[in-house]
Amino acid sequence: MQKYQKTMRVLLIIMALMATIATKGNATTHGLTDDEAERTALLMVHFGTTHDDTRQLTIDAVNNLTRQEFPQTEVREAYTSRIVIKRLAQRGIVRQTPLEALLQLRADGFERVVVQPTHIIPGEEYATLLNDVRQVEHLFKYIRVGKPLLYTLADCREMAEKLTAAHATEKHTHVVFVGHGTEHPANAIYSQMDRLMKQCSPRCHVGTIEGFPALDDVVQQLRQVKAHRVVLVPLMFVAGDHAKNDISVEWKETLEKEGMQVELCIEGLGQRADVQDLFVRHVRDAMNDR
């Protein structure tokens, strides 16, 4: 499998170089005219999932929305998780990495590309994506990368207000939003979200599976406020393994051992229309060089 992937990548590189030589151009274009939009590709980049149910509600949904919003633009997708790509390949489902997808686009004759990730924060996956783009940007006349969901303070404030309004509706119920977490410095955004959500409702908390605030930190907060009833909500684009295993099992059981009544709201952020709309706005910003 690895040998096949390497061979395909080499072929894509050769095809991309041939396409570049044929078009003889690598100047940067600022903004897109209607004519340019017809020759532009939008690459939607997702972490990916092996769970078909949540994929249809999140990844497929936002891909379809971008096709509706940008009808003149070729929309394709790529996954950043090599583990997910490998597991899907075992089921006969092929997904390209961002680098492979970009090379394929260039080989297919596209000179202008907007890359839009559906990552939640600008962490390790986003940094790797930017590096992939740098490797091939010389092959394109125009290539831009859109921002993750929570990039600016305005993004975070908007999502904090909308998520708390949607979930913090009962007076004596605390809501815990659980993100993935990372060792990357961008993990600090989760602490920022915790603060912003508490400004909207003191009964809202943010925790992470692999970062800070961790489960123990959330338990301590809930103890201090003497929480009796808690709702767990994934702060993730898809409701995949982490949502169905870590949140639904480990986090739920841990809080129940503390004597709390725990309910689950297992749905990916990508199912929300307002989240999908924010990603579309990020695509527009990238197209307009904002």
Side-chain angles (χ1 to χ4, degrees), residues 157 160 188-202 204-206 213 221:
R157 194 180 301 280
I189 290 176
Y190 290 113
S191 294
Q192 177 172 270
M193 286 296 292
D194 182 66
R195 178 66 179 272
L196 291 171
M197 285 186 169
K198 281 181 168 59
Q199 289 178 356
C200 298
S201 170
C204 288
H205 316 269
V206 175
Q221 287 185 42

Side-chain angles (χ1 to χ4, degrees), residues 11-150:
L11 289 174
L12 286 173
I13 291 172
I14 293 173
M15 293 170 65
L17 288 171
M18 291 176 64
T20 302
I21 293 171
T23 52
K24 296 182 180 179
N26 61 359
T28 300
T29 301
H30 297 284
L32 296 176
T33 64
D34 290 340
D35 183 57
E36 288 170 339
E38 294 179 357
R39 304 190 305 275
T40 299
L42 170 59
L43 180 62
M44 298 298 296
V45 176
H46 315 282
F47 179 82
T49 181
T50 59
H51 295 261
D52 295 339
D53 53 351
T54 188
R55 187 201 70 241
Q56 294 170 359
L57 296 171
T58 55
I59 293 175
D60 292 350
V62 75
N63 287 348
N64 291 334
L65 178 61
T66 55
R67 290 188 178 97
Q68 295 173 18
E69 294 291 327
F70 309 100
Q72 294 179 312
T73 303
E74 173 80 7
V75 178
R76 299 188 186 179
E77 70 173 355
Y79 284 7
T80 58
S81 173
R82 294 184 179 277
I83 294 177
V84 170
I85 291 174
K86 182 179 179 181
R87 290 178 180 174
L88 289 176
Q90 293 171 349
R91 292 164 49 189
I93 302 173
V94 178
R95 289 292 184 273
Q96 292 181 314
T97 66
L99 186 57
E100 290 169 345
L102 287 169
L103 290 171
Q104 183 68 65
L105 283 167
R106 191 62 193 91
D108 291 344
F110 290 94
E111 300 177 79
R112 296 176 176 84
V113 178
V114 172
V115 181
Q116 178 58 55
T118 56
H119 302 139
I120 303 301
I121 65 172
E124 293 177 3
E125 297 289 332
Y126 186 66
T128 300
L129 175 61
L130 293 178
N131 184 59
D132 287 341
V133 170
R134 281 192 290 268
Q135 291 184 56
V136 298
E137 62 183 352
H138 63 284
L139 300 176
F140 297 88
K141 284 186 176 181
Y142 175 105
I143 186 165
R144 295 290 182 272
V145 182
K147 303 299 189 292
L149 183 69
L150 305 178

Side-chain angles (χ1 to χ4, degrees), residues 82-273:
R82 294 184 179 277
I83 294 177
V84 170
I85 291 174
K86 182 179 179 181
R87 290 178 180 174
L88 289 176
Q90 293 171 349
R91 292 164 49 189
I93 302 173
V94 178
R95 289 292 184 273
Q96 292 181 314
T97 66
L99 186 57
E100 290 169 345
L102 287 169
L103 290 171
Q104 183 68 65
L105 283 167
R106 191 62 193 91
D108 291 344
F110 290 94
E111 300 177 79
R112 296 176 176 84
V113 178
V114 172
V115 181
Q116 178 58 55
T118 56
H119 302 139
I120 303 301
I121 65 172
E124 293 177 3
E125 297 289 332
Y126 186 66
T128 300
L129 175 61
L130 293 178
N131 184 59
D132 287 341
V133 170
R134 281 192 290 268
Q135 291 184 56
V136 298
E137 62 183 352
H138 63 284
L139 300 176
F140 297 88
K141 284 186 176 181
Y142 175 105
I143 186 165
R144 295 290 182 272
V145 182
K147 303 299 189 292
L149 183 69
L150 305 178
Y151 191 80
T152 67
L153 176 58
D155 292 337
C156 294
R157 194 180 301 280
E158 178 181 344
M159 281 296 103
E161 291 173 353
K162 290 181 176 179
L163 290 173
T164 53
H167 294 282
T169 57
E170 298 185 22
K171 185 176 180 180
H172 299 293
T173 299
H174 288 256
V175 183
V176 178
F177 297 91
V178 186
H180 187 283
T182 175
E183 294 182 355
H184 190 279
N187 188 84
I189 290 176
Y190 290 113
S191 294
Q192 177 172 270
M193 286 296 292
D194 182 66
R195 178 66 179 272
L196 291 171
M197 285 186 169
K198 281 181 168 59
Q199 289 178 356
C200 298
S201 170
R203 301 186 308 280
C204 288
H205 316 269
V206 175
T208 66
I209 294 172
E210 298 181 8
F212 177 86
L215 174 56
D216 290 344
D217 301 305
V218 173
V219 169
Q220 185 175 358
Q221 287 185 42
L222 294 173
R223 283 175 182 165
Q224 291 174 347
V225 297
K226 296 180 172 57
H228 296 292
R229 186 169 181 270
V230 178
V231 178
L232 296 175
V233 182
L235 192 62
M236 305 171 182
F237 187 72
V238 302
D241 283 336
H242 285 306
K244 296 178 180 179
N245 297 316
D246 296 290
I247 298 176
S248 299
V249 180
E250 181 184 3
W251 282 60
K252 182 175 184 291
E253 291 179 353
T254 297
L255 295 182
E256 286 176 337
K257 289 178 182 177
E258 293 287 328
M260 302 175 199
Q261 178 186 346
V262 182
E263 294 186 12
L264 300 171
C265 181
I266 302 302
E267 61 179 28
L269 291 179
Q271 296 177 226
R272 296 179 56 90

